[in-house]
Structure formats: C-alpha cells, structure tokens
Amino acid sequence: MTVDTQPQRPVLIRAEQAESLQDGATSLITLLADAGDTGGALTANKATFEKGSPGAPAHFHTKATELFFVLDGTMRILVENEVLTLEKGDFLTVPPTVPHAFAPAPDSTAEMLVVFTPGLHRFDYYRLLERVYRGEATVQEIKDSSATYDNHYFESPEWQASLAEAAAFGTDL
C-alpha cells in the first residue's frame, strides 16, 4: 500500500455528496476523505451504529494510527486487553500494531468520526464490506485483503466476552 505524497489542498465534502455504505444490518459508513484526497495525510469516515451492532471485530493496523471521536451515543472500544467505554465527546488514538475493536455500548446507538493518519486507501475496503453484506462478495475476500488494506484480524477473548455481555444485556430488557 502506497501513500500519496502530492501537495495538500483543502478538502470539502458536503454531507449530501458523501458516499454512504451499509456494511451490516445495523451499521453505516459515510466516506469523507481518502488518502488520495488528502495527499496521504489522512483517511476519514463517519461510522453510525444502531443498537446491537457488532461493530468492528478485533484487529490492528501496522501503518497508521487510528483516531476515534464519539459524536453521539456510547461506544465500547477494545484497546489491547481492556474494554473502554467512551461517551459523546470522548477521543481516543490507537497507534499502529495496538489491537482494538469497537461497537456501541449495550442499548445504545452511536456515531463516531474515524480517522487514519497517515492516510490509507481504505474506501475500497469499506465497499468490499458492503458487497459482503449484500452477498456479492465473501468473508474470504476480506481475509485475503488484509495486507492490501492493513486490517489484520485476530481472536480476542476480552472482546468476545464484551460482545456476549452486550448480547445478554439486550435479552434482559
């Protein structure tokens, strides 16, 4: 994966022009700026989660820091072996190689601004997620794209326990 090094210029994405992708039954990704738009400086999207969304599974990146800013609701975010709760207005950075995952807290909807720096060409990865959700691509294609999109998945007992707790919370209502 190469990072563009062209001179930076202002990037304006109007809300009505942003591409939105349904990557699951309970989540939406709104594409804001990819590495090619920002001269490689960053990649940004807005992630919207309905109650019960599984969010993103445990993974890490090797080439970029991922930044999370909670715009609304409450998120649970795995960082290494600890599950943190972030509220509206909270901000978190996750450096390269640090394992993480995220989902809305039990019984919460949420919106997050997600930024990668330096920028990674990730918009086609998000489009792949939507194709998998629609049945037009396979989970194996996601696994095969790990090196291309710098997404490296792994099993996390802490994250699995957090998801099980959230599922149990939902059935107790």
Side-chain angles (χ1 to χ4, degrees), residues 105-121:
D107 203 34
S108 180
T109 60
E111 283 190 329
M112 253 189 343
L113 176 66
V114 180
V115 177
F116 291 86
T117 185
L120 303 172
H121 291 281

Side-chain angles (χ1 to χ4, degrees), residues 21 55 62 65 103 110 171:
L21 305 169
T62 62
T65 294
T171 60

Side-chain angles (χ1 to χ4, degrees), residues 9-68:
R9 57 182 169 62
V11 176
L12 171 63
I13 306 299
R14 299 279 184 195
E16 65 273 5
Q17 296 171 335
E19 180 181 357
S20 291
L21 305 169
Q22 190 80 39
D23 69 320
T26 55
S27 60
L28 185 72
I29 299 172
T30 302
L31 307 180
L32 300 174
D34 211 358
D37 302 319
T38 66
L42 60 89
T43 298
N45 72 79
K46 180 179 78 169
T48 304
F49 304 98
E50 297 299 323
K51 291 179 184 178
S53 173
H59 65 285
F60 63 91
H61 312 287
T62 62
K63 298 179 176 117
T65 294
E66 191 167 8
L67 302 93
F68 301 98

Side-chain angles (χ1 to χ4, degrees), residues 35-99:
D37 302 319
T38 66
L42 60 89
T43 298
N45 72 79
K46 180 179 78 169
T48 304
F49 304 98
E50 297 299 323
K51 291 179 184 178
S53 173
H59 65 285
F60 63 91
H61 312 287
T62 62
K63 298 179 176 117
T65 294
E66 191 167 8
L67 302 93
F68 301 98
F69 181 73
V70 180
L71 300 167
D72 197 21
T74 305
M75 292 293 296
R76 294 180 92 183
I77 301 182
L78 171 75
V79 180
E80 295 180 325
N81 297 320
E82 182 180 2
V83 178
L84 306 173
T85 299
L86 277 68
E87 304 285 342
K88 180 179 178 178
D90 289 347
F91 175 77
L92 171 70
T93 65
V94 179
T97 73
V98 173

